[in-house]
């Protein structure tokens, strides 16, 4: 299985997983990069996974319809063209993989994520999480139709995934997220090293994703709401108390205007 990040628009990634014959894609906001990747590699698209209803994640569905792939997506997001509607606990079986569905509301009210824990042959494999716009490297999604409490709970849940989990987010927002993270935690030494690493990747036009959950737990302030420096920065930016919920809410609001 090869995992690819297909760039789309200015900062989206359409994730592709393939075994040399069959491919799946996640959140095809645009059909063109998917069609091109399939053509270049001689692959057949057999499955599409969608995380939420925003146009930059579903805009390519119509253009891929003629390929007759199975289209999976969230139950409650009103998305047209799904062949299977999913929610927490559902499992998509594809090419020997079990792809688990997690409800991760917040960015949108019905946002789901997809988790692959094991390789089809049970060989050594780092888990893959397709998290859409819930968790980004160094940051998290904005609130649209979900609530602050939902987003906090969803991120708290994703944080429990194994450290080796490859976090496949849908946007290349890493460098700007890290500028904010540094404002929150100026003394976090892991941040500077990761920032240099990501700057070098972007200078070569390479994706900073997927990151690992282990690294996100070290650098992403939205996953660090109990760290003393994060708490104190949040308290200086409107957190009503030092609870993780209040710290998270203050960070999310602060980031909106950063
Ligand atoms: Fe979105
Ligand atoms: Zn998006």
């Amino acid at each position: 299985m090869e995992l690819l990040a297909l760039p789309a628009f200015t900062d989206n990634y359409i994730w592709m997983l393939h075994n040399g014959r069959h491919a799946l894609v996640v959140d095809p906001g645009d059909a063109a990069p998917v069609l091109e990747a399939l053509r270049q590699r001689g692959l057949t698209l057999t499955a599409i996974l969608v995380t939420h209803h925003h146009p930059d994640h579903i805009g390519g569905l119509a253009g891929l319809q003629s390929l007759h792939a199975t289209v999976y997506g969230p139950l409650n997001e009103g998305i047209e063209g799904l062949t299977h509607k999913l929610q927490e606990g559902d499992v998509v079986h594809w090419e020997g993989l079990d792809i688990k569905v997690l409800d991760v509301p917040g960015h949108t009210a019905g946002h789901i994520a997809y988790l692959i824990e094991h390789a089809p042959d049970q060989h050594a494999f780092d888990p893959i999480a397709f998290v859409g716009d819930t968790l980004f490297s160094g940051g998290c999604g904005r609130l649209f139709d979900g609530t602050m409490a939902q987003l906090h709970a969803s991120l708290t849940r994703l944080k429990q995934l194994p450290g080796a989990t490859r976090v496949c987010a849908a946007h290349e927002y890493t460098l700007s997220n890290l500028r904010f993270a540094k404002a929150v935690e100026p003394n976090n030494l892991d941040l500077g090293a990761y920032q240099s690493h990501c700057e070098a990747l972007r200078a070569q036009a390479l994706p900073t994703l997927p990151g690992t959950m282990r690294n996100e737990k070290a650098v992403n302030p939205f996953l660090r709401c109990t760290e003393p420096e994060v708490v104190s920065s949040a308290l200086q930016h409107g957190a009503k108390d030092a609870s993780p919920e209040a710290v998270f809410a203050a960070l999310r609001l602060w980031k909106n205007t950063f």
Side-chain angles (χ1 to χ4, degrees):
M1 287 281 171
E2 186 185 19
L3 176 66
L4 299 166
L6 310 178
F9 310 119
T10 52
D11 54 34
N12 282 70
Y13 291 124
I14 301 169
W15 292 96
M16 174 178 274
L17 198 57
H18 76 85
N19 60 7
R21 274 185 72 215
H22 295 151
L24 76 69
V25 290
V26 184
D27 287 350
D30 187 4
V34 176
L35 293 169
E36 179 59 15
L38 294 170
R39 192 191 62 74
Q40 281 177 357
R41 294 170 179 80
L43 301 168
T44 302
L45 186 71
T46 56
I48 299 173
L49 309 179
V50 173
T51 63
H52 69 291
H53 69 83
H54 287 158
D56 61 313
H57 299 252
I58 64 169
L61 290 180
L64 296 172
Q65 207 168 18
S66 63
L67 304 183
H68 303 293
T70 310
V71 187
Y72 300 91
L75 177 63
N76 292 317
E77 293 258 293
I79 301 167
E80 302 234 347
L82 299 183
T83 54
H84 291 69
K85 295 186 175 181
L86 306 173
Q87 58 187 318
E88 178 74 34
D90 287 335
V91 179
V92 174
H93 301 285
W94 182 80
E95 298 293 325
L97 296 175
D98 291 335
I99 306 174
K100 281 191 185 179
V101 176
L102 311 179
D103 282 341
V104 287
H107 175 69
T108 64
H111 197 302
I112 60 174
Y114 297 90
L115 175 64
I116 304 171
E117 293 170 299
H118 306 287
D121 49 15
Q122 303 294 317
H123 281 129
F125 176 84
D126 290 331
I128 296 174
F130 296 114
V131 297
D133 286 356
T134 300
L135 172 63
F136 297 123
S137 186
C140 72
R142 283 170 188 260
L143 289 176
F144 283 88
D145 37 304
T147 68
M148 192 69 87
Q150 284 178 329
L151 185 60
H152 180 241
S154 294
L155 290 171
T156 302
R157 185 162 177 219
L158 290 174
K159 193 177 145 177
Q160 315 303 319
L161 296 177
T165 304
R166 290 175 272 178
V167 181
C168 298
H171 290 272
E172 179 61 66
Y173 290 158
T174 312
L175 291 180
S176 78
N177 286 338
L178 294 179
R179 282 191 286 278
F180 176 72
K182 276 199 145 174
V184 178
E185 282 190 283
N187 297 307
N188 180 344
L189 297 178
D190 290 326
L191 264 174
Y194 182 55
Q195 192 174 31
S196 307
H197 169 73
C198 291
E199 278 168 358
L201 288 170
R202 294 309 294 150
Q204 301 169 74
L206 293 172
T208 61
L209 306 174
T212 65
M213 190 59 75
R214 182 180 302 108
N215 184 62
E216 289 311 311
K217 284 158 67 173
V219 301
N220 190 326
F222 294 94
L223 302 182
R224 296 169 58 79
C225 293
T226 57
E227 292 295 321
E229 193 174 25
V230 176
V231 173
S232 96
S233 289
L235 286 169
Q236 287 163 36
H237 286 83
K240 66 173 168 45
D241 56 53
S243 68
E245 294 75 18
V247 168
F248 180 83
L251 292 183
R252 187 54 269 178
L253 293 172
W254 177 11
K255 175 74 163 61
N256 289 346
T257 57
F258 183 77

